[in-house]
Structures are given as C-alpha cells and as structure tokens.
Amino acid sequence: MESSSIFIGIDVSKAQLDIRVRPTGMRETFSNDKAGIKALVERLSGFKPTLIVLEATGNLERAVARALVSEAFPLTIVNPRQVRDFARATGRLAKTDKIDADVLAHFAEVVRPQIRALLDQASWELKDLIARRRQLSAMIVAENNRLDRASKTVAQRISAHIRWLEKELERADHDLDQSIRQSPIWQANQDLLQTVPGVGPVTSRTLLAELPELGELNRKQIAALAGVAPFNRDSGTLKGNRCIWGGRASVRAALYMAALVASRRNAVIRKFYDRLRTAGKKPKVALVACMRKLLTILNSMIKHKTRWSEMSLQTS
C-alpha cells in the first residue's frame, strides 16, 4: 500500500507490540521478541509510513526502535506525558494497549512530532550509567535519613549498606569515565563543559548522556528541551507569572545545582544573578534565569568548540 499520509502508533509492553495505522484503521498485535519484531518490520514495509510514533517505556522500546530505524522507517520516541495530555484533550480517558496504540497514531497524525536521531548503543549505555548513578545517590540519601532514627542494631546494618552503596557509586563513576574516554567526541565535550566554573563531573556527564542535542539546537529549542524555557500564563487582561514546565527532569536538576554553584563562583553568572535580584526578582526566579543562561552558554560552547576562558570574554 502506498500513501504519503500514513501514520502508525505502536504501544510497547513487555510481552507485545500493539499497532494502529491511520487512516486505514488497521490494528494488529505482535510479540515483543525477535520473531515478533521481525514480523512487525515486514508487515510495516508495505505501508511506507509518513511517521511512526512510540512512547518512551523504560527501555522496553529499544529493540523495536532499533529494528525500525535500521530499515529507515521515519520514527520518533515521545514523552508519555505528552501523549496522555493529548489523549485527555481528545476525550480518550480509558487506557488499554489497543487504545494507547490508537492515541499514538492519532498523535502522530495531528501533532507530527519532530523525528530525532535514535541513540546508538554507546549512548544508551552512558544514559543507563547516569540513571544508575542517580539511583545510587538517592539510595544513599535515603539510608542516611533512616540512620538517624534507627536503633543500634539496625543502624549497624544501615551503615554497612551505605558503605556498599558508596563503593557502588565509585564504580559507577569509574564506568562513566571509562565510557566517556572511549569516545573522543564525548571526552572533548566534557573537557569543554568542565572549564566552566560551576560545572563539575556530574553535570557534564548528565548533559552528555541526557541532552545529546546540546550544541545542535538554537538557544530557544535547547531551553525548551531541558525544561527551562519560560511559558506565559496570560488570559484576557490577566498577566500571570511566567513559569517553566516539562522538559527533561534529570537535566533540569543537574542545571539547578550547577547554577546554584555558578551564582556564587562564576563571575558572569554571579553578575547576572545579582542584577536580577537588584531588579526585584525573587531568588528562585533569578536562579532559574541563571540555569537558562548557563545552558545557553554551554550550548554555544559545544557548538563552536569554545573554552570558558574565551566564552567568558564574550558574555561578560
């Protein structure tokens, strides 16, 4: 079947792949394994789709995404929250695998999200390592909080667990460094990022893994992707406060910590922060603006391969 307007939604679960094709209305289910993915690719090859949309489902989508991209299908992986918001807006409140496939196909047809390059194996592994490091850090914080309230016997076990977690954290950091060293591009970009006062290993690794678009988009696009772009909240004569929303939470968290340090130790960011505070901006509003400014600087540094010593002269 040939068409210039075929849109396909694929709902991915651990056991199966549910597809919906618009506007034909075709529905079909395949097993989420090598045989099922192969059959799915063969089935879709006759459609020549305009766009295929999958949700990010905690890595369950990786295998089918790779198979589709290897066959040059136009594919994008979208944020589940965007799809659920779209479903609610169109009155689809129920949720099943088949309904989700319907919604994804409709989302593809109406919204037509931008096709982005799929991460390669090394990038997926780096992203997994960053996620694991974040989990270990959270577990250490949680165990330390429990330690304060624990009895002597339990406290000993918690302390032993904390020591083990700290060793695992060291191993995760070592694995991250090894992964980055194996890529000349990643290593060069990390070296550039860490020349900025306030940007340390955690921030630079997070940006490399979770924001691979850094240096490839303009300032507005990268700010929106990271979730630090302000959105208006106006209606009629009411002028609401602008706020940030959406984006990649892990990137935003890393930028927050980097901006917090930079607002004290980075001359350019500190000057910007002080100017906003003098103008009457609240501390949190000023800090979010610093996050956005810092990200804009980092984006430009990666794009032009410029070190901080050169960039600071341009932004001061």
Side-chain angles (χ1 to χ4, degrees), residues 115-144:
I115 297 173
R116 299 188 183 279
L118 191 66
L119 297 179
D120 57 25
Q121 184 61 33
S123 299
W124 279 119
E125 289 178 0
L126 183 66
K127 192 172 182 178
D128 281 348
L129 284 169
I130 283 290
R132 182 56 182 163
R133 190 194 189 282
R134 195 159 50 242
Q135 292 164 1
L136 289 167
S137 296
M139 285 189 282
I140 290 172
V141 171
E143 287 290 64
N144 275 310

Side-chain angles (χ1 to χ4, degrees), residues 84 87-88 91-103:
R84 289 315 303 162
R88 283 192 287 268
R92 305 296 291 271
L93 303 182
K95 192 178 188 310
T96 67
D97 293 342
K98 287 183 173 58
I99 290 176
D100 286 350
D102 289 348
V103 172

Side-chain angles (χ1 to χ4, degrees), residues 5 24 113 118 181 214 225 255 270 306:
S5 301
T24 68
L118 191 66
R181 288 193 193 103
L214 192 68
L225 204 57
L255 284 173
R270 183 177 67 245
T306 307

Side-chain angles (χ1 to χ4, degrees), residues 63-220:
V64 66
R66 287 198 195 103
L68 291 169
V69 169
S70 68
E71 296 296 324
F73 283 104
L75 172 73
T76 189
I77 300 175
V78 297
N79 189 316
R81 182 171 60 187
Q82 288 179 288
V83 179
R84 289 315 303 162
D85 288 345
F86 177 80
R88 283 192 287 268
T90 54
R92 305 296 291 271
L93 303 182
K95 192 178 188 310
T96 67
D97 293 342
K98 287 183 173 58
I99 290 176
D100 286 350
D102 289 348
V103 172
L104 286 166
H106 193 193
F107 181 85
E109 183 179 34
V110 174
V111 179
R112 303 201 183 190
Q114 182 180 354
I115 297 173
R116 299 188 183 279
L118 191 66
L119 297 179
D120 57 25
Q121 184 61 33
S123 299
W124 279 119
E125 289 178 0
L126 183 66
K127 192 172 182 178
D128 281 348
L129 284 169
I130 283 290
R132 182 56 182 163
R133 190 194 189 282
R134 195 159 50 242
Q135 292 164 1
L136 289 167
S137 296
M139 285 189 282
I140 290 172
V141 171
E143 287 290 64
N144 275 310
N145 289 338
R146 296 184 188 101
L147 188 61
D148 295 335
R149 303 186 299 272
S151 64
K152 184 177 179 180
T153 302
V154 173
Q156 290 176 345
R157 303 312 308 151
I158 293 176
S159 296
H161 190 213
I162 290 172
R163 289 192 295 271
W164 182 85
L165 288 170
E166 288 173 342
K167 289 180 179 178
E168 282 295 298
L169 189 61
E170 290 177 7
R171 293 189 187 100
D173 284 334
H174 177 267
D175 291 342
L176 281 165
D177 288 338
Q178 288 292 100
S179 293
I180 291 171
R181 288 193 193 103
Q182 289 172 8
S183 168
I185 295 176
W186 283 347
Q187 185 63 63
N189 286 345
Q190 176 168 258
D191 291 343
L192 284 177
L193 293 173
Q194 290 191 20
T195 64
V196 181
V199 176
V202 173
T203 300
S204 62
R205 291 168 185 158
T206 301
L207 292 175
L208 290 176
E210 305 280 3
L211 196 63
E213 299 88 352
L214 192 68
E216 298 177 1
L217 304 178
N218 63 40
R219 58 190 299 169
K220 291 183 178 180

Side-chain angles (χ1 to χ4, degrees), residues 258-313:
L260 191 63
V261 175
S263 66
R264 300 167 185 169
R265 301 183 182 178
N266 183 311
V268 172
I269 301 299
R270 183 177 67 245
K271 182 180 178 180
F272 181 65
Y273 178 83
D274 290 343
R275 179 162 60 84
L276 291 174
R277 292 288 291 123
T278 301
K281 300 296 183 182
K282 295 180 180 179
K284 188 174 181 181
V285 172
L287 192 58
V288 170
C290 288
M291 291 165 61
R292 190 163 56 252
K293 184 176 182 65
L294 181 60
L295 178 62
T296 299
I297 292 171
L298 297 175
N299 189 56
S300 182
M301 288 175 64
I302 296 299
K303 182 177 182 178
H304 301 291
K305 304 302 178 188
T306 307
R307 296 179 67 83
W308 171 250
S309 56
E310 303 168 54
M311 181 62 66
S312 59
L313 296 175

Side-chain angles (χ1 to χ4, degrees), residues 1-6 8 44-51 73-74:
M1 176 184 300
E2 294 188 6
S3 174
S4 59
S5 301
I6 293 292
I8 300 175
L44 296 185
S45 62
F47 283 93
K48 295 184 180 180
T50 302
L51 182 63
F73 283 104

